[in-house]
């Protein structure tokens, strides 16, 4: 974390930011962002769970659109 802060303050050997209030404000903003993203870590598992719990009607096995006929393959069940 310190390396990231220093990388923002110093670029190419040139000090870009010396105002301590601005540095602390940016650190607080970064911490807030990290906390908000922490909830996203479980998103894939929640998505799979939500798909499993969806009440979907039976998938049609044959789809006919005009002259086009499509046979739907058997798909594995999510449950």
């Amino acid at each position: 974390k310190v390396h990231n802060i220093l990388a923002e303050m110093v670029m190419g050997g040139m000090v870009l930011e010396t105002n301590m209030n601005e540095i602390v404000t940016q650190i607080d903003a970064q911490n807030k962002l990290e906390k908000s993203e922490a909830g996203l870590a479980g998103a894939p598992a929640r998505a799979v769970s939500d798909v499993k719990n969806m009440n979907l009607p039976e998938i049609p096995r044959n789809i006919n659109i005009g002259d086009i006929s499509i046979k739907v393959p058997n798909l594995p069940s999510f449950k």
Side-chain angles (χ1 to χ4, degrees), residues 37-46:
E37 289 178 346
L40 297 176
R46 286 192 305 270

Side-chain angles (χ1 to χ4, degrees), residues 8-71:
E8 293 291 324
M9 291 173 51
V10 180
M11 270 190 194
M14 179 181 263
V15 177
L16 300 176
E17 186 62 68
T18 58
N19 183 337
M20 186 58 79
N21 291 331
E22 182 64 26
I23 293 167
V24 171
T25 300
Q26 293 303 320
I27 291 170
D28 290 342
Q30 181 64 32
N31 289 336
K32 184 178 177 183
L33 179 65
E34 287 175 4
K35 285 180 184 176
S36 71
E37 289 178 346
L40 297 176
R46 286 192 305 270
V48 169
S49 175
D50 289 344
V51 168
K52 286 181 180 180
N53 294 328
M54 289 174 66
N55 290 322
L56 297 174
E58 181 65 31
I59 298 173
R61 295 290 159 220
N62 294 309
I63 300 172
N64 295 314
I65 303 171
D67 294 340
I68 301 172
S69 179
I70 302 170
K71 183 171 172 100

